[in-house]
Amino acid sequence: MKKTTQLKNLLNSDQTEFILEAHNGLSAKIVEEAGFKGIWGSGLALSAQHGVRDNNELSWTQVVEILEFMSDAASIPILLDGDTGYGDFNNMRRLVQKLEQRAIAGVCIEDKLFPKTNSFIQGEQQELEDVDTFCGKIQAGKDAQIDDDFCIVARVEAFIAGWGLEEALRRGEAYRQAGADAILIHSKLSRPDEILQFAREWGERCPLVIVPTKYYSTQTEVFRDHGISLVIWANHMIRSSITAMQATARTIHETESLVEIEGQVSTVSEIFRLQGADELLEAEKLYARKARPDASAIILAASRGQGMDELTRDRPKVMIPVAGKTVLRRQVDKFKAQGINDITVVAGYQKDAIEVQGAQVVVNEDWETTSELKSLACALDKFSDDTVLIYGDLLFRSYIFSNLMDWDAELLVVVDSSPLEQAKGNINDLAYCSGPDDRAMYQQKVRLEQVSKSSDWQGRSPDGRWIGMLRARGEGRSHITEALEQLGRAGLIEDSGVPDLINRLVENGHAPQVQYIAGHWMDINNLQDLQRASDFTHGLNN
Ligand code: SPV
Ligand code: MG
């Protein structure tokens, strides 16, 4: 239902209805969640939250701007406390137009002079608007509205300014005849007498609205019995927030700590909930077209590595800086550059020394007695529909990785076909493929047949070396899970490496596609490698 219609129905319902003050988007949302059917856009609260006085120090456009946030945050109608309409009949017309454009359901204007003062500050000295002039303002507002259900409430300040019942009734009746949808009769007394007298005399001419801030102890039943249509609880959100903020500020200042207040204040996740953070996450899934929507990376970094005792005394190999940047940081940066932000590092040895922004760490607690596949199993739930698995000690040029991300195979391994005589470092993972590297062909259709430490497999010589990089997409993920489960059932997980997993994939009929490269990578296994690594990273556009 339109907000205007909702407010109109509240005013005209045969029960007494209630609306509560709000002064920004957040409080508007809280009012709605509490179950209220409408919001009072209090001038006092709107100005107070900005630290200014309720004397039209806030400009009317600033008011409208705040209301826009409130209107967006809540689906219940807002009745704006529009003070005097911020000027004459012409200002009123423009106000109505602007409020309608922002889905504000109605406005209440009071018969005082611009700039007004809050009714509870020297009310008796306040001058009232000439009745005819004010009626012209009401009529101009009604004529300006486009939506028939937009409501204009006329507020009678006669009691506030020290006039009696007669003047209050005279004004109320004139405003009703000028077209007001309801009359707000205000009082600054701590008893409801003048309001109730007015209500009795008024009868059912048109809906009556009250603001029982001063006569708050009056039982609500009394308002019901007097046929009040709408009760405005006018300032209790701003007042409760002031009390809470003062207590919090005092405690934090006195204790120089957050311990005392942590349990007293709303959680940060409650803020996120009120802001609708979840909706945005859902919408991102639908609309935010990322370069690699589901891609993730798993970096195996649990082992200490060998032959670098001094350098790895307090940290794993991946945390050794190479030309000023750790190997791990270099990998994470490369993933991020390719739009992969879901990055997991499997740590083990000196796990606390692993520190890398932008990646999460999972731990293989048994790193000392188990092997790579156990580490991989620790990160099994980090596999997405597109996951790159990589050894943590690998340095490589960016193009290798971006080419890897270009394929659409389910399983893909990177194999270096440069002659073994030139190979330095690890030559354990020799790759036997369905065909040799045809360097003239991009995305050559070659399958991996075996990864082995041996340089002879079935009487053949190797086609290259698997560099320690694998990508699994779509079904590739379940092939890996299946192979891991098989190895687990056979009791082989604890002693096996990723090459054993790859060989199992081949046996299961899921031989990975081979991406051939020729050099431009290295892994770090000893001090000599480390020296080379520094040269490798220098002068190359890595
Ligand atoms: C407001 O909430 O700003 C009002 C009501 O106008 S009162 O403060 O009682 O005047
Ligand atoms: Mg006000």
Side-chain angles (χ1 to χ4, degrees):
M1 196 190 292
K2 283 188 304 180
K3 288 177 173 175
T4 48
T5 314
Q6 290 181 49
L7 178 63
K8 191 161 195 136
N9 289 349
L10 280 184
L11 284 168
N12 290 293
S13 91
D14 50 14
Q15 310 171 35
T16 303
E17 305 280 1
F18 305 87
I19 64 175
L20 178 60
E21 167 263 315
H23 47 272
N24 55 27
L26 189 68
S27 53
K29 180 125 192 180
I30 292 171
V31 168
E32 176 168 10
E33 285 191 349
F36 280 93
K37 294 190 228 161
I39 292 169
W40 171 241
S42 157
L44 172 65
L46 289 171
S47 51
Q49 69 149 337
H50 288 281
V52 297
R53 288 167 287 222
D54 190 11
N55 290 67
N56 295 118
E57 291 185 346
L58 221 52
S59 75
W60 74 271
T61 52
Q62 287 171 325
V63 169
V64 169
E65 230 166 74
I66 305 162
L67 284 189
E68 191 171 2
F69 282 102
M70 293 168 59
S71 180
D72 288 346
S75 62
I76 52 176
I78 300 172
L79 173 61
L80 169 66
D81 170 9
D83 292 345
T84 59
Y86 312 110
D88 68 0
F89 78 90
N90 190 38
N91 300 96
M92 176 65 180
R93 292 196 299 191
R94 190 158 169 77
L95 176 66
V96 169
Q97 191 188 3
K98 292 294 138 186
L99 292 179
E100 281 198 312
Q101 287 168 0
R102 283 163 177 79
I104 307 306
V107 62
C108 172
I109 52 167
E110 61 198 57
D111 52 1
K112 293 200 302 225
L113 299 179
F114 179 91
K116 48 69 55 119
T117 299
N118 186 276
S119 302
F120 302 141
I121 298 175
Q122 297 184 318
E124 306 236 345
Q125 292 173 25
Q126 297 192 17
E127 202 179 329
L128 297 187
E129 176 80 276
D130 167 74
V131 175
D132 273 349
T133 311
F134 194 68
C135 286
K137 207 183 270 185
I138 295 167
Q139 204 182 331
K142 289 307 289 178
D143 287 346
Q145 74 186 56
I146 294 167
D147 181 340
D148 281 346
D149 291 344
F150 184 87
C151 289
I152 295 183
V153 178
R155 167 166 157 180
V156 176
E157 289 280 285
F159 290 142
I160 298 290
W163 296 77
L165 179 63
E166 203 180 324
E167 178 66 8
L169 286 166
R170 183 176 80 90
R171 284 179 173 262
E173 180 56 21
Y175 304 161
R176 185 186 71 81
Q177 287 184 20
D181 297 282
I183 297 297
L184 189 159
I185 181 70
H186 204 11
S187 168
K188 58 181 186 301
L189 302 185
S190 56
R191 294 177 50 81
D193 302 8
E194 53 191 13
I195 294 298
L196 301 181
Q197 259 181 327
F198 184 96
R200 277 191 290 268
E201 291 295 328
W202 187 259
E204 294 187 352
R205 291 185 228 179
C206 77
L208 271 191
V209 182
I210 60 167
V211 182
T213 302
K214 291 289 182 186
Y215 47 98
Y216 65 89
S217 59
T218 309
Q219 294 201 355
T220 303
E221 263 332 288
V222 176
F223 303 144
R224 286 203 172 94
D225 292 346
H226 283 76
I228 301 299
S229 292
L230 188 68
V231 176
I232 298 176
W233 313 121
N235 45 42
H236 301 81
M237 296 298 275
I238 191 87
R239 284 166 65 190
S240 57
S241 70
I242 290 171
T243 313
M245 287 192 286
Q246 284 170 334
T248 301
R250 224 175 8 244
T251 305
I252 295 178
H253 182 255
E254 278 165 13
T255 60
E256 296 186 336
S257 159
L258 301 177
V259 174
E260 292 294 319
I261 54 110
E262 182 58 31
Q264 316 291 322
V265 296
S266 106
T267 58
V268 174
S269 44
E270 176 60 1
I271 303 179
F272 295 154
R273 189 192 68 77
L274 285 162
Q275 289 171 312
D278 278 354
E279 192 278 335
L280 180 56
L281 294 179
E282 286 305 310
E284 271 170 359
K285 282 188 205 148
L286 198 59
Y287 304 119
R289 309 276 154 84
K290 292 190 192 143
R292 312 207 179 277
D294 299 314
S296 63
I298 298 173
I299 301 172
L300 298 179
S303 73
R304 177 177 186 174
Q306 287 165 351
M308 291 183 290
D309 293 354
E310 194 54 44
L311 279 167
T312 56
R313 191 176 306 284
D314 303 320
R315 60 189 166 194
K317 197 159 62 159
V318 296
M319 289 305 289
I320 299 177
V322 171
K325 208 172 175 186
T326 65
V327 182
L328 188 56
R329 180 77 256 164
R330 287 176 183 278
Q331 286 197 358
V332 170
D333 287 352
K334 281 208 166 65
F335 290 134
K336 287 189 159 299
Q338 285 292 319
I340 299 181
N341 292 303
D342 179 2
I343 303 167
T344 302
V345 182
V346 186
Y349 174 70
Q350 294 288 359
K351 59 181 194 287
D352 296 332
I354 292 210
E355 224 179 285
V356 62
Q357 288 264 326
Q360 51 177 320
V361 177
V362 299
V363 178
N364 174 8
E365 297 289 356
D366 305 323
W367 64 272
E368 217 159 355
T369 53
T370 59
S371 68
E372 283 166 16
L373 284 195
K374 185 64 199 303
S375 291
L376 182 59
C378 292
L380 207 52
D381 64 336
K382 306 296 177 190
F383 269 89
S384 66
D385 281 345
D386 187 0
T387 300
V388 175
L389 174 67
I390 189 172
Y391 285 156
D393 63 353
L394 210 61
L395 289 170
F396 52 91
R397 284 180 64 171
S398 298
Y399 80 87
I400 294 176
F401 185 55
S402 54
N403 287 356
L404 179 78
M405 299 310 286
D406 259 2
W407 291 71
D408 58 9
E410 286 180 348
L411 290 162
L412 199 60
V413 289
V414 181
V415 171
D416 180 8
S417 67
S418 42
L420 281 183
E421 308 82 76
Q422 295 170 15
K424 299 190 181 71
N426 175 17
I427 49 165
N428 282 336
D429 300 329
L430 298 173
Y432 296 84
C433 308
S434 64
D437 184 5
D438 176 348
R439 297 202 172 175
M441 253 179 102
Y442 186 65
Q443 298 202 339
Q444 190 188 346
K445 297 282 177 249
V446 169
R447 299 249 160 216
L448 186 79
E449 295 183 334
Q450 184 77 15
V451 182
S452 172
K453 287 184 174 40
S454 166
S455 55
D456 171 53
W457 178 69
Q458 297 186 344
R460 293 165 46 181
S461 46
D463 297 292
R465 287 182 293 154
W466 176 58
I467 74 167
M469 200 187 280
L470 175 152
R471 180 178 176 209
R473 295 179 65 234
E475 283 302 304
R477 171 191 191 169
S478 44
H479 299 332
I480 287 189
T481 313
E482 181 194 19
L484 273 173
E485 277 167 6
Q486 287 171 354
L487 290 166
R489 280 196 297 274
L492 296 172
I493 286 271
E494 311 279 307
D495 304 311
S496 303
V498 181
D500 300 302
L501 175 76
I502 294 175
N503 289 336
R504 179 61 63 134
L505 287 167
V506 176
E507 278 170 41
N508 288 350
H510 306 304
Q513 177 73 45
V514 171
Q515 176 189 330
Y516 275 125
I517 59 166
H520 296 146
W521 68 283
M522 62 173 298
D523 49 9
I524 297 171
N525 293 301
N526 49 48
L527 290 173
Q528 222 181 338
D529 287 345
L530 208 55
Q531 177 56 43
R532 283 177 52 228
S534 189
D535 298 342
F536 180 81
T537 56
H538 275 123
L540 288 173
N541 178 18
N542 275 292

